[in-house]
Amino acid sequence: MCTHRRTDPCKDKALTMQQRSYNGLYVGSSPSSHATSGKALHCGPNRILFRPRNYAIATCCSFNTNKGCYSLYLDSESRNRKKLSRYIAVRSELAGTGTSGASYPLSGLHVVPKVRGICFYAVTAVVAIFLFVLMLVAHPFVLLLDRYRRQAHYFIARIWALATVTPLLNVDIEGFENLPAQDTPAVYVSNHQSFLDIYALLAIGRSFKFISKTSIFVFPVIGWAMFLMGVIPLRRMDPRSQLDCLKRCTDFLKKGASVFFFPEGTRSKDGKLGAFKKGAFSIAAKTKVPVVPITIIGTGKIMPSGREGMLNPGSVRVIIHKPIEGSDPEVLRNQARSIIADGLVHQG
């Protein structure tokens, strides 16, 4: 686009108009300025002058058919007053140079994933209501017989996870032989890409204590079920809450229950494996329990972080790796991250 400034007014006859066409170019004032635009002066074959109703000064557009460009002439006084129509809309046939079919609404690309997302949440809500009632009835017996591991609640949660994802996704779990015995406490760790990771992990069928933001506990049904399952609450930005969380994890391990950590601390935005925090491995080294690395593949593409309302088609793979042990938290952290990273590279 070439742009020039010119102060000489065009002197030709006036005509009232909202929009004028010239060889594929459409020029006119914006909808918001229709009320203030008074006249458009046609200044020769290649120029159009716009003048507000109450001002003698004007804005002029000139069209050069040889150079294929337009020039905007703006009187300096009108520019200072800022009382002219604010926009001049120009649409050229250059719009036709894009890829064929690229002009459909962007939202149309996401219709099917959004419908799948609605179905996903509808199923998970309906199933959760019925299973929560069952969990609530069983809770007194769970507290009496299995206060720390609460395996009955996790069995119900596994049914909920499978009932939700099975109709819409394929979940493949490998490495069940690497799981410690049910009564062996351990620290489980995995990469974190999506909200779907929770469903994939519950499908394993082990009763490890998750750590969750305190705000999730107020969600109807789901938050209440988390409370019954003994999920550990955490306020991320509160150092005291973090220390209390680590203390509760240590206590659970000493009493025979397993705990689960996402050592990245949050979901990955780009699918890449982030740095691991040291907390989970310090607890494992202190309590002398094994660390079980788990690689989750595919959830980030199916339900990307930040777009939880969408559910793209695809499959999920969960790889349970062999447990690792040690007394050095730094070594444990590096080993676990390396194992999970290799799983993402070779199996992703």
Side-chain angles (χ1 to χ4, degrees):
M1 182 180 76
C2 52
T3 304
H4 309 283
R5 176 172 293 183
R6 186 173 175 179
T7 57
D8 60 315
C10 298
K11 300 177 181 179
D12 224 320
K13 64 180 182 178
L15 59 124
T16 302
M17 60 178 289
Q18 299 261 333
Q19 186 182 60
R20 185 173 179 86
S21 172
Y22 181 83
N23 290 344
L25 280 160
Y26 301 88
V27 181
S29 57
S30 68
S32 63
S33 63
H34 286 163
T36 60
S37 297
K39 294 180 180 180
L41 305 179
H42 180 229
C43 309
N46 295 328
R47 280 188 287 172
I48 291 180
L49 177 68
F50 292 90
R51 179 173 65 82
R53 179 178 294 119
N54 297 326
Y55 293 88
I57 51 183
T59 303
C60 183
C61 279
S62 175
F63 305 89
N64 190 324
T65 56
N66 295 325
K67 295 182 180 180
C69 64
Y70 71 88
S71 300
L72 178 65
Y73 300 89
L74 180 63
D75 184 273
S76 59
E77 184 179 355
S78 66
R79 185 184 183 114
N80 294 333
R81 293 192 183 186
K82 298 182 181 179
K83 295 295 186 177
L84 290 173
S85 303
R86 297 180 61 188
Y87 301 100
I88 295 177
V90 179
R91 179 169 65 89
S92 171
E93 287 183 322
L94 288 173
T97 62
T99 305
S100 176
S103 59
Y104 52 79
L106 183 61
S107 59
L109 296 172
H110 305 309
V111 171
V112 174
K114 285 182 178 179
V115 171
R116 288 169 56 87
I118 292 172
C119 294
F120 172 83
Y121 287 110
V123 172
T124 199
V126 172
V127 175
I129 291 172
F130 287 100
L131 292 181
F132 174 72
V133 174
L134 182 59
M135 192 179 289
L136 194 61
V137 171
H139 190 62
F141 302 98
V142 169
L143 291 178
L144 183 64
L145 302 174
D146 189 18
R147 185 179 187 87
Y148 299 106
R149 287 186 293 175
R150 305 188 184 187
Q151 294 182 75
H153 286 345
Y154 278 87
F155 176 76
I156 295 173
R158 183 172 187 260
I159 296 175
W160 168 70
L162 292 175
T164 300
V165 301
T166 301
L168 298 169
L169 302 171
N170 177 41
V171 180
D172 181 25
I173 302 176
E174 304 174 12
F176 277 109
E177 68 278 5
N178 294 325
L179 287 172
Q182 282 278 9
D183 57 353
T184 300
V187 173
Y188 294 79
V189 296
S190 85
N191 58 310
H192 196 14
Q193 296 181 352
S194 169
F195 173 65
L196 281 179
D197 294 342
I198 301 298
Y199 292 81
L201 292 166
L202 287 173
I204 295 175
R206 284 301 170 96
S207 56
F208 34 64
K209 303 296 181 185
F210 287 100
I211 299 170
S212 177
K213 295 184 297 184
T214 53
S215 58
I216 305 297
F217 286 83
V218 301
F219 288 6
V221 182
I222 301 297
W224 305 337
M226 290 167 55
F227 175 78
L228 297 182
M229 292 167 63
V231 174
I232 303 169
L234 172 67
R235 291 188 295 274
R236 290 182 178 178
M237 305 307 295
D238 186 349
R240 182 177 297 179
S241 177
Q242 295 174 5
L243 291 174
D244 182 65
C245 175
L246 295 177
K247 182 178 181 302
R248 292 188 63 181
C249 288
T250 302
D251 291 341
F252 275 123
L253 289 168
K254 290 179 177 179
K255 293 173 181 176
S258 297
V259 296
F260 182 92
F261 285 84
F262 288 118
E264 293 171 278
T266 187
R267 286 170 291 178
S268 172
K269 301 296 183 181
D270 55 7
K272 297 179 180 179
L273 188 64
F276 278 15
K277 299 182 184 302
K278 199 173 179 179
F281 309 99
S282 296
I283 293 174
K286 181 179 180 180
T287 57
K288 297 180 172 55
V289 300
V291 175
V292 183
I294 299 175
T295 302
I296 303 175
I297 303 168
T299 55
K301 293 181 180 179
I302 296 173
M303 184 179 285
S305 176
R307 288 184 283 174
E308 284 74 19
M310 297 170 52
L311 188 73
N312 297 307
S315 59
V316 178
R317 299 183 66 186
V318 180
I319 305 173
I320 305 168
H321 302 281
K322 292 181 179 181
I324 56 176
E325 298 184 46
S327 57
D328 188 339
E330 190 69 29
V331 173
L332 286 174
R333 176 172 64 175
N334 293 336
Q335 286 181 343
R337 190 183 185 283
S338 178
I339 292 170
I340 293 173
D342 288 344
L344 290 171
V345 171
H346 297 124
Q347 303 293 334

